[in-house]
Amino acid sequence: MNSEDTAVLMKEYVKMMMDMVILCATLALSLCFWLISLAISTYYGTLQPVSPWRWLYSILIPVVVTSRALKRRSLDRSGALGALLVGFVLTMANYSFFSSLLAFFYTSSKLTRWGAAKKKQIDPEYKEGGQRNWVQVFCNGGVPTELALLYMIEVGPGEIPIDFGKQYSASWMCLALLGALACSTGDTWASEVGPILSQSQPRLITTWKEVPAGTNGGVTPVGLVASFLGGLTVGVAYFVTQLLMVNDRHLADPQWPIMMYGGVAGFLGSLLDSFLGAHMQYSGFDSSIGKVVSYESSTTQRICGKPILDNNAVNLFSSLLITLILPGLAWGAWPR
């Protein structure tokens, strides 16, 4: 056996041992958290202890997903750490939250890689695989994480059906969280699918004039349909998890509108993101590189917007507005 074969075997051995270490640490950590929660529940006498299996899933599943994403360059190291925190909180709070998050992350990562050659010609800041950092993770996952924490304070970890009559605040938080994830998914799908499949030039959402591909605030019919389908995918993931995990659905309001709610949130979130981008993100055509850019220079001709917010801030504000507005509208239209 030569030195190269020995090195390969050593790498495989180290990788196997690292996986074993992570698994053992996860088991020990989940057991430790369970014992702590059991002690707190015994002391106060009002809290329900969280099962060790839920602790295990809440730690192990995010570790597995983020490790794979890091290897595939969907996240950088800071993004992986942020994703671990977001994934842990959402999985602990409600498995439907995590399935929605997973639908958003998995589909968005796949679409980011799709048509990479054409996207490089349009976007000067395009990164292979996406390589999302901690800022992007928290701008998309920060609002859902906060809502998941409020949900656990309200009803504790666990899955409940959407029922405004019996649990108004918890149902509101569930739909707010779903809306935030569907908004992010819809915007991502529109941004990734529109430039590849659209046969027509984007039109600026504020004036409806044709603009170059990559302009903030530019929309296409294909992108708008994609935004609805993206939100619908997240809604379906949430609904399917409800079917699997919630036993008393027959005692609550109908749950199928969850899917349509996700689609509407994705569509409206994409429109809102485009509207904010057209006003608060600078877009200009740089003749020196032949692409739309977000900075001002001597070779750049302004298309629209002002340099107030960057793309991450626009995503954050869009998801926040959808979170605040859409659950109230859903309450009025939800079938009883």
Side-chain angles (χ1 to χ4, degrees), residues 32-167:
C32 178
F33 280 136
W34 176 68
L35 292 173
I36 291 173
S37 69
L38 188 63
I40 294 175
S41 302
T42 303
Y43 179 78
Y44 287 103
T46 55
L47 300 176
Q48 293 295 324
V50 181
S51 73
W53 291 111
R54 196 172 194 95
W55 282 111
L56 177 63
Y57 295 148
S58 300
I59 297 172
L60 184 59
I61 296 176
V63 166
V64 172
V65 173
T66 52
S67 297
R68 180 175 173 80
L70 189 60
K71 291 178 182 178
R72 294 177 63 84
R73 301 174 68 185
S74 297
L75 298 167
D76 65 12
R77 291 183 179 180
S78 67
L81 291 174
L84 276 174
L85 176 61
V86 174
F88 169 76
V89 173
L90 267 64
T91 308
M92 175 60 67
N94 189 319
Y95 291 146
S96 296
F97 295 172
F98 177 75
S99 65
S100 302
L101 175 67
L102 188 62
F104 158 61
F105 179 71
Y106 180 79
T107 60
S108 299
S109 298
K110 286 289 186 182
L111 289 175
T112 299
R113 293 189 179 86
W114 179 53
K118 187 172 183 179
K119 290 172 184 174
K120 288 178 181 178
Q121 297 174 1
I122 299 172
D123 186 0
E125 298 179 358
Y126 177 81
K127 294 180 180 179
E128 195 71 37
Q131 299 181 46
R132 292 170 173 84
N133 57 31
W134 70 272
V135 176
Q136 293 168 302
V137 168
F138 282 116
C139 282
N140 287 290
V143 173
T145 301
E146 183 176 355
L147 287 167
L149 290 171
L150 293 174
Y151 171 87
M152 285 192 284
I153 293 172
E154 178 73 19
V155 297
E159 293 67 48
I160 63 169
I162 303 297
D163 193 328
F164 285 103
K166 297 177 181 177
Q167 291 182 314

